[in-house]
Amino acid sequence: GTRVTQRKPPINVIVRVPQAQNGPYRTVSPVSRIGTEPRVRVSHARGTSAASDVSHQAALYCLSFNTSGPPHTPPPPLINAKTMSNVGEHLKHQTYAARDETELEHAVDVHWADGQSLLSHLPKKDKTDSSSFFGRDELAGAVFCGHVMTDLDSIAGAIGAAYLYGGDAARASEINTETEFALKEWGCDVPDPIEDALEKDPSRNVCLVDFQQQSQLNKCIPQANIVGIIDHHALQSNTVVTEKPIFVDIRPWGCMSSIIAHGFAVQEKFLPKNIAGMLLSAILSDTLNLRSPTTTAWDERIVAMLVQYLGVTDVNALAARQFRAKSHSLSLMTPYALVNGDVKKFKFESASCKDKTYTVAYSVVETTDAPASLARAHELLPEMRAVKAEDASIDAVLLAVVDIVALTSTLLVCGRVEASLAIAAYGG
């Protein structure tokens, strides 16, 4: 269920391991640069974010350990203040505006004509539409809901899809500060919890947006109620199961909200400005300002269309304010919230024994201030070990701190299994 492709930006693996069976634990300074060419990546269903899809090239910081110790030997503190003194040096970069202004504006400029073409299909006024475009009959009256790790794309997509197909938007969990910023910026209300909608009508149809994995499904949603899926992630082994055919719109685009915005143009459906703004913010978030490796030309075309439709004069400033709102909340979050806030579980079959499967929990922290998040590694690593200890089904826990400005990632590793997996996956 994994997809392996070439990647470019770097990821750094931070590991602290024992020097000897019962000896002191020490940190080894960077001993090797693992390769100079792009390695490979494992593409995850997010949404995170697109963040977990940021290209990786491993740089192993601590690679000195002895696995002969007794199995009951307690794991060491993997990081301390001294260890962190030099972490983050590789993340020093130019300011947001200096790095991104030309790139984003260039993408919009290149696709300006395409955006105009799409824009020509959007009605200028709301009007009664009796046409039966594919999906409207199947999804009419449904409640549109995203995954339990609620992010901006799942909220914006739910709001947009509900208006496009004639239903109601719902949320699977509490919203984050980036989503709160976008809702306030564009004047949209926070969708009601999915529990409220199904409490009123337990048999109500549900369309999933921005996901299709059972592990990301709110427990109150019966799979028998699912009538549709609108998503942009890979299909893996834990996809929802339905008893009958359903409406499915899954495209290999960088953001689910791009699919919804495109639907308004194709169906020539009136698009309210506040919903258009939400869709624009979601695309900028999921594609990391159109710089993520998952970004497609269609995402760029849709952004060009929405920028013209909304009359946005500085899309870079909008993205900067939005990302700052997201990063600010990280400093207020507990280690538990950081590790569990955007985590997805992936199952892999054993190469040597097909009956054996392994589960990897992959957590992502997206920020414009990566050094600040890395400075809390001494808090995050124990929490990562706690996640694995509390859930016997999890074999490994990894956490990537993603700098959404420099497009670099630093991978935190909490044990020998994780270190071995990181080296095998990213080179070494």
Side-chain angles (χ1 to χ4, degrees):
T2 59
R3 180 184 62 194
V4 180
T5 57
Q6 290 276 332
R7 320 181 59 116
K8 292 183 181 179
I11 183 166
N12 296 278
V13 182
I14 299 179
V15 187
R16 195 176 182 212
V17 287
Q19 177 181 354
Q21 177 173 326
N22 297 311
Y25 292 92
R26 64 187 179 87
T27 299
V28 182
S29 59
V31 294
S32 66
R33 183 71 178 176
I34 303 178
T36 56
E37 295 298 323
R39 292 290 183 177
V40 299
R41 71 177 170 94
V42 179
S43 178
H44 309 297
R46 183 251 178 192
T48 57
S49 148
S52 57
D53 279 340
V54 172
S55 302
H56 296 333
Q57 178 184 348
L60 191 62
Y61 265 75
C62 304
L63 184 59
S64 174
F65 57 96
N66 187 324
T67 59
S68 61
H72 63 272
T73 300
L78 279 117
I79 209 150
N80 54 35
K82 184 177 180 180
T83 308
M84 293 305 301
S85 61
N86 294 322
V87 173
E89 290 298 315
H90 64 292
L91 300 175
K92 291 182 178 179
H93 49 71
Q94 294 173 276
T95 63
Y96 182 92
R99 287 188 61 87
D100 288 283
E101 181 177 5
T102 301
E103 294 183 32
L104 179 56
E105 289 184 348
H106 177 71
V108 172
D109 184 61
V110 166
H111 293 284
W112 190 264
D114 293 333
Q116 283 184 322
S117 178
L118 289 168
L119 190 60
S120 67
H121 293 277
L122 289 179
K124 295 183 179 180
K125 297 181 180 180
D126 199 359
K127 60 181 180 180
T128 302
D129 188 359
S130 60
S131 64
S132 181
F133 199 92
F134 179 65
R136 290 192 185 179
D137 292 339
E138 294 82 358
L139 302 180
V143 57
F144 296 80
C145 184
H147 44 77
V148 290
M149 299 302 178
T150 301
D151 60 7
L152 181 50
D153 192 24
S154 65
I155 291 294
I159 293 173
Y163 192 93
L164 177 63
Y165 292 105
D168 296 305
R171 54 184 168 87
S173 61
E174 296 302 316
I175 62 173
N176 59 27
T177 53
E178 182 186 34
T179 305
E180 183 181 8
F181 165 85
L183 290 168
K184 183 177 180 181
E185 177 77 10
W186 299 109
C188 289
D189 295 328
V190 180
D192 292 330
I194 183 62
E195 291 86 352
D196 292 355
L198 294 181
E199 182 179 1
K200 295 177 182 177
D201 183 2
S203 63
R204 188 169 184 185
N205 290 339
V206 177
C207 178
L208 308 182
V209 294
D210 199 32
F211 81 106
Q212 23 66 22
Q213 293 290 298
Q214 294 184 44
S215 61
Q216 301 169 32
L217 180 70
N218 187 296
K219 293 181 179 179
C220 79
I221 302 176
Q223 294 195 49
N225 290 33
I226 298 173
V227 296
I229 295 173
I230 306 174
D231 191 21
H232 69 119
H233 296 111
L235 295 171
Q236 297 183 334
S237 60
N238 200 31
T239 303
V240 296
V241 178
T242 62
E243 297 178 354
K244 57 185 178 181
I246 64 173
F247 174 89
V248 176
D249 187 353
I250 299 179
R251 311 182 200 179
W253 293 6
C255 180
M256 188 270 298
S257 289
S258 296
I259 299 173
I260 300 301
H262 182 256
F264 276 95
V266 170
Q267 300 184 36
E268 297 186 344
K269 174 81 172 180
F270 175 73
L271 175 58
K273 293 292 182 72
N274 60 339
I275 296 179
M278 287 295 297
L279 297 175
L280 174 60
S281 287
I283 299 170
L284 295 178
S285 174
D286 247 29
T287 65
L288 304 182
N289 221 8
L290 297 180
R291 297 174 64 207
S292 164
T294 61
T295 304
T296 68
W298 274 109
D299 297 296
E300 295 174 345
R301 293 183 185 111
I302 297 300
V303 167
M305 177 189 80
L306 294 174
V307 164
Q308 295 178 66
Y309 185 61
L310 294 166
V312 176
T313 57
D314 191 343
V315 68
N316 291 294
L318 169 64
R321 289 189 294 117
Q322 181 175 302
F323 290 151
R324 279 198 298 269
K326 183 173 186 175
S327 297
H328 174 67
S329 67
L330 297 179
S331 62
L332 307 177
M333 294 172 67
T334 64
Y336 175 87
L338 288 171
V339 172
N340 294 276
D342 185 4
V343 61
K344 292 184 173 61
K345 298 177 184 178
F346 302 95
K347 292 184 178 180
F348 303 91
E349 289 186 355
S350 170
S352 58
C353 180
K354 292 185 178 180
D355 294 333
K356 173 65 177 176
T357 61
Y358 298 94
T359 299
V360 177
Y362 203 112
S363 182
V364 175
V365 175
E366 295 177 341
T367 178
T368 59
D369 187 4
S373 295
L374 289 172
R376 301 184 64 186
H378 64 286
E379 302 175 69
L380 300 176
L381 290 164
E383 190 62 47
M384 292 166 64
R385 292 196 292 273
V387 169
K388 188 164 64 169
E390 293 170 2
D391 189 342
S393 67
I394 297 177
D395 298 288
V397 178
L398 300 170
L399 185 147
V401 177
V402 181
D403 187 322
I404 59 180
V405 176
L407 285 186
T408 58
S409 297
T410 301
L411 189 67
L412 300 187
V413 177
C414 64
R416 294 187 182 89
V417 172
E418 287 79 5
S420 177
L421 178 61
I423 295 170
Y426 300 120

